[in-house]
PDB file of all heavy atoms in Angstrom:
ATOM      1  N   SER B 102     111.481  58.523 127.800  1.00 90.00           N
ATOM      2  CA  SER B 102     112.954  58.711 127.916  1.00 90.00           C
ATOM      3  C   SER B 102     113.733  57.486 127.442  1.00 90.00           C
ATOM      4  O   SER B 102     114.762  57.623 126.794  1.00 90.00           O
ATOM      5  CB  SER B 102     113.318  59.062 129.348  1.00 90.00           C
ATOM      6  OG  SER B 102     112.994  58.020 130.216  1.00 90.00           O
ATOM      7  N   ARG B 103     113.240  56.278 127.774  1.00 91.00           N
ATOM      8  CA  ARG B 103     113.981  55.081 127.378  1.00 91.00           C
ATOM      9  C   ARG B 103     113.920  54.940 125.860  1.00 91.00           C
ATOM     10  O   ARG B 103     114.915  54.511 125.238  1.00 91.00           O
ATOM     11  CB  ARG B 103     113.389  53.827 128.050  1.00 91.00           C
ATOM     12  CG  ARG B 103     113.651  53.817 129.565  1.00 91.00           C
ATOM     13  CD  ARG B 103     112.899  52.689 130.228  1.00 91.00           C
ATOM     14  NE  ARG B 103     113.383  51.411 129.840  1.00 91.00           N
ATOM     15  CZ  ARG B 103     114.427  50.787 130.422  1.00 91.00           C
ATOM     16  NH1 ARG B 103     115.049  51.407 131.420  1.00 91.00           N
ATOM     17  NH2 ARG B 103     114.859  49.631 130.015  1.00 91.00           N
ATOM     18  N   ALA B 104     112.788  55.268 125.233  1.00 93.00           N
ATOM     19  CA  ALA B 104     112.690  55.187 123.755  1.00 93.00           C
ATOM     20  C   ALA B 104     113.640  56.195 123.127  1.00 93.00           C
ATOM     21  O   ALA B 104     114.279  55.909 122.112  1.00 93.00           O
ATOM     22  CB  ALA B 104     111.251  55.435 123.319  1.00 93.00           C
ATOM     23  N   ALA B 105     113.739  57.398 123.740  1.00 91.00           N
ATOM     24  CA  ALA B 105     114.595  58.436 123.176  1.00 91.00           C
ATOM     25  C   ALA B 105     116.045  58.022 123.215  1.00 91.00           C
ATOM     26  O   ALA B 105     116.835  58.272 122.278  1.00 91.00           O
ATOM     27  CB  ALA B 105     114.393  59.750 123.933  1.00 91.00           C
ATOM     28  N   LEU B 106     116.471  57.372 124.320  1.00 91.00           N
ATOM     29  CA  LEU B 106     117.870  56.882 124.428  1.00 91.00           C
ATOM     30  C   LEU B 106     118.084  55.718 123.440  1.00 91.00           C
ATOM     31  O   LEU B 106     119.080  55.642 122.777  1.00 91.00           O
ATOM     32  CB  LEU B 106     118.115  56.361 125.827  1.00 91.00           C
ATOM     33  CG  LEU B 106     118.630  57.327 126.859  1.00 91.00           C
ATOM     34  CD1 LEU B 106     118.837  56.639 128.163  1.00 91.00           C
ATOM     35  CD2 LEU B 106     119.959  57.965 126.371  1.00 91.00           C
ATOM     36  N   ARG B 107     117.079  54.792 123.410  1.00 92.00           N
ATOM     37  CA  ARG B 107     117.272  53.601 122.636  1.00 92.00           C
ATOM     38  C   ARG B 107     117.320  53.876 121.138  1.00 92.00           C
ATOM     39  O   ARG B 107     118.049  53.231 120.373  1.00 92.00           O
ATOM     40  CB  ARG B 107     116.159  52.601 122.934  1.00 92.00           C
ATOM     41  CG  ARG B 107     116.549  51.167 122.676  1.00 92.00           C
ATOM     42  CD  ARG B 107     115.460  50.220 123.047  1.00 92.00           C
ATOM     43  NE  ARG B 107     115.473  49.735 124.385  1.00 92.00           N
ATOM     44  CZ  ARG B 107     116.287  48.755 124.832  1.00 92.00           C
ATOM     45  NH1 ARG B 107     117.164  48.194 124.012  1.00 92.00           N
ATOM     46  NH2 ARG B 107     116.245  48.332 126.073  1.00 92.00           N
ATOM     47  N   VAL B 108     116.585  54.901 120.703  1.00 91.00           N
ATOM     48  CA  VAL B 108     116.545  55.174 119.264  1.00 91.00           C
ATOM     49  C   VAL B 108     117.919  55.595 118.776  1.00 91.00           C
ATOM     50  O   VAL B 108     118.326  55.236 117.672  1.00 91.00           O
ATOM     51  CB  VAL B 108     115.459  56.194 118.925  1.00 91.00           C
ATOM     52  CG1 VAL B 108     115.840  57.595 119.278  1.00 91.00           C
ATOM     53  CG2 VAL B 108     115.069  56.125 117.444  1.00 91.00           C
ATOM     54  N   SER B 109     118.697  56.310 119.619  1.00 88.00           N
ATOM     55  CA  SER B 109     120.003  56.726 119.161  1.00 88.00           C
ATOM     56  C   SER B 109     120.971  55.541 119.083  1.00 88.00           C
ATOM     57  O   SER B 109     121.958  55.594 118.353  1.00 88.00           O
ATOM     58  CB  SER B 109     120.578  57.822 120.082  1.00 88.00           C
ATOM     59  OG  SER B 109     120.789  57.274 121.383  1.00 88.00           O
ATOM     60  N   LEU B 110     120.651  54.475 119.774  1.00 90.00           N
ATOM     61  CA  LEU B 110     121.454  53.259 119.724  1.00 90.00           C
ATOM     62  C   LEU B 110     121.061  52.353 118.580  1.00 90.00           C
ATOM     63  O   LEU B 110     121.876  51.739 117.912  1.00 90.00           O
ATOM     64  CB  LEU B 110     121.253  52.417 120.984  1.00 90.00           C
ATOM     65  CG  LEU B 110     122.243  52.502 122.087  1.00 90.00           C
ATOM     66  CD1 LEU B 110     121.713  51.759 123.289  1.00 90.00           C
ATOM     67  CD2 LEU B 110     123.569  51.893 121.646  1.00 90.00           C
ATOM     68  N   GLU B 111     119.749  52.220 118.357  1.00 91.00           N
ATOM     69  CA  GLU B 111     119.238  51.151 117.514  1.00 91.00           C
ATOM     70  C   GLU B 111     118.689  51.587 116.147  1.00 91.00           C
ATOM     71  O   GLU B 111     118.553  50.771 115.253  1.00 91.00           O
ATOM     72  CB  GLU B 111     118.169  50.333 118.254  1.00 91.00           C
ATOM     73  CG  GLU B 111     118.692  49.679 119.499  1.00 91.00           C
ATOM     74  CD  GLU B 111     117.719  48.697 120.161  1.00 91.00           C
ATOM     75  OE1 GLU B 111     116.647  48.481 119.604  1.00 91.00           O
ATOM     76  OE2 GLU B 111     118.052  48.162 121.221  1.00 91.00           O
ATOM     77  N   ALA B 112     118.345  52.893 116.010  1.00 90.00           N
ATOM     78  CA  ALA B 112     117.643  53.343 114.783  1.00 90.00           C
ATOM     79  C   ALA B 112     118.414  52.952 113.525  1.00 90.00           C
ATOM     80  O   ALA B 112     117.807  52.503 112.549  1.00 90.00           O
ATOM     81  CB  ALA B 112     117.421  54.835 114.813  1.00 90.00           C
ATOM     82  N   GLY B 113     119.734  53.114 113.547  1.00 88.00           N
ATOM     83  CA  GLY B 113     120.559  52.854 112.392  1.00 88.00           C
ATOM     84  C   GLY B 113     120.368  51.465 111.803  1.00 88.00           C
ATOM     85  O   GLY B 113     120.612  51.249 110.602  1.00 88.00           O
ATOM     86  N   ALA B 114     119.968  50.529 112.634  1.00 87.00           N
ATOM     87  CA  ALA B 114     119.882  49.145 112.171  1.00 87.00           C
ATOM     88  C   ALA B 114     118.430  48.708 111.822  1.00 87.00           C
ATOM     89  O   ALA B 114     118.233  47.561 111.497  1.00 87.00           O
ATOM     90  CB  ALA B 114     120.428  48.202 113.270  1.00 87.00           C
ATOM     91  N   ILE B 115     117.480  49.646 111.875  1.00 91.00           N
ATOM     92  CA  ILE B 115     116.100  49.299 111.596  1.00 91.00           C
ATOM     93  C   ILE B 115     115.676  49.846 110.234  1.00 91.00           C
ATOM     94  O   ILE B 115     115.589  51.053 110.053  1.00 91.00           O
ATOM     95  CB  ILE B 115     115.145  49.848 112.673  1.00 91.00           C
ATOM     96  CG1 ILE B 115     115.644  49.522 114.088  1.00 91.00           C
ATOM     97  CG2 ILE B 115     113.736  49.315 112.462  1.00 91.00           C
ATOM     98  CD1 ILE B 115     114.834  50.193 115.212  1.00 91.00           C
ATOM     99  N   PRO B 116     115.460  48.948 109.263  1.00 87.00           N
ATOM    100  CA  PRO B 116     115.103  49.410 107.907  1.00 87.00           C
ATOM    101  C   PRO B 116     113.826  50.241 107.957  1.00 87.00           C
ATOM    102  O   PRO B 116     112.854  49.885 108.627  1.00 87.00           O
ATOM    103  CB  PRO B 116     114.896  48.126 107.123  1.00 87.00           C
ATOM    104  CG  PRO B 116     114.695  47.055 108.178  1.00 87.00           C
ATOM    105  CD  PRO B 116     115.432  47.484 109.390  1.00 87.00           C
ATOM    106  N   GLY B 117     113.811  51.372 107.258  1.00 85.00           N
ATOM    107  CA  GLY B 117     112.604  52.203 107.210  1.00 85.00           C
ATOM    108  C   GLY B 117     112.572  53.217 108.345  1.00 85.00           C
ATOM    109  O   GLY B 117     111.987  54.265 108.211  1.00 85.00           O
ATOM    110  N   VAL B 118     113.209  52.865 109.462  1.00 90.00           N
ATOM    111  CA  VAL B 118     113.251  53.777 110.584  1.00 90.00           C
ATOM    112  C   VAL B 118     114.551  54.615 110.524  1.00 90.00           C
ATOM    113  O   VAL B 118     114.543  55.799 110.841  1.00 90.00           O
ATOM    114  CB  VAL B 118     113.152  53.002 111.937  1.00 90.00           C
ATOM    115  CG1 VAL B 118     113.374  53.923 113.118  1.00 90.00           C
ATOM    116  CG2 VAL B 118     111.773  52.338 112.050  1.00 90.00           C
TER     117      VAL B 118
END
Side-chain angles (χ1 to χ4, degrees):
Chain B
S102 62
R103 293 172 66 86
L106 271 180
R107 205 178 270 279
V108 75
S109 65
L110 260 173
E111 299 189 3
I115 311 173
V118 173

